[in-house]
């Protein structure tokens, strides 16, 4: 560090220059502290954004899986001849439809399998997002 000149320096104005330098050093330290604080905040927000993006991607994939299962189930209902879900009676046209009992059993097994897969997928997604959010 620079040696301080005694307050009654024979050099005119040196004391005032030293005070200005000290004030400038104090301001520099404040700015460096603020810079460090902001860099830490940016790092934390970047990490949080990455976690949110990962969770969002998993949830979108799960939603797409639900959409696919719903579409397949609706198609199976139509193939069985039951009409859209909610219409529990058989279709009026039975001509080329496969036997309802066989089709219903196939549909039921597909639904059970897909429901299990979706339940596992959403449960594992919730566990992983819960662990990362803490």
């Amino acid at each position: 560090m620079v040696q301080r000149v005694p307050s009654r320096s024979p050099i005119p104005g040196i004391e005032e220059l030293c005070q200005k330098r000290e004030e400038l050093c104090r301001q520099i330290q404040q700015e460096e502290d603020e810079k460090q604080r902001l860099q830490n905040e940016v790092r934390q927000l970047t990490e949080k954004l990455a976690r949110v993006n990962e969770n969002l991607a998993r949830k979108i994939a799960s939603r797409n899986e639900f959409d696919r299962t719903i579409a397949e189930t609706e198609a199976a209902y139509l193939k069985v001849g039951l009409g859209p879900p909610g219409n529990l009676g058989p279709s009026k046209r039975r001509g080329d439809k496969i036997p309802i009992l066989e089709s219903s059993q196939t549909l039921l097994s597909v639904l059970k399998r897909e429901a299990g897969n979706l339940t596992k997928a959403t449960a594992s997604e919730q566990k992983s997002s819960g662990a990362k959010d803490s």
Side-chain angles (χ1 to χ4, degrees):
M1 181 155 199
V2 176
Q3 288 185 344
R4 297 191 116 199
V5 178
S7 59
R8 304 226 179 229
S9 171
I11 304 172
I14 196 79
E15 185 175 329
E16 184 180 339
L17 291 175
C18 287
Q19 288 174 350
K20 287 181 180 181
R21 182 186 181 282
E22 284 179 26
E23 175 61 23
L24 184 59
C25 286
R26 186 187 61 76
Q27 290 173 358
I28 288 170
Q29 184 60 49
Q30 286 176 341
E31 296 273 336
E32 287 175 347
D33 291 346
E34 177 70 2
K35 175 185 172 185
Q36 185 65 40
R37 185 189 67 77
L38 291 171
Q39 285 176 330
N40 286 336
E41 194 174 317
V42 166
R43 180 187 52 77
Q44 290 172 348
L45 289 171
T46 300
E47 291 171 0
K48 186 175 183 177
L49 178 61
R51 284 191 307 270
V52 167
N53 280 334
E54 289 171 7
N55 290 338
L56 184 60
R58 278 192 299 274
K59 288 178 181 179
I60 288 171
S62 291
R63 182 189 61 193
N64 292 342
E65 194 64 24
F66 276 109
D67 290 345
R68 184 187 63 77
T69 300
I70 290 167
E72 287 177 0
T73 303
E74 288 175 342
Y77 265 101
L78 293 173
K79 186 175 183 181
V80 170
L82 295 177
N87 179 9
L88 300 178
S91 172
K92 299 288 183 206
R93 285 182 30 218
R94 291 190 188 198
D96 54 83
K97 304 292 183 196
I98 34 183
I100 289 180
L101 181 59
E102 180 184 328
S103 298
S104 296
Q105 289 171 340
T106 302
L107 175 60
L108 182 60
S109 65
V110 168
L111 279 173
K112 285 180 180 178
R113 184 187 73 232
E114 291 299 326
N117 290 342
L118 290 172
T119 301
K120 288 177 189 174
T122 55
S124 67
E125 186 276 321
Q126 288 173 348
K127 284 181 185 176
S128 65
S129 68
K132 290 182 181 178
D133 289 340
S134 352

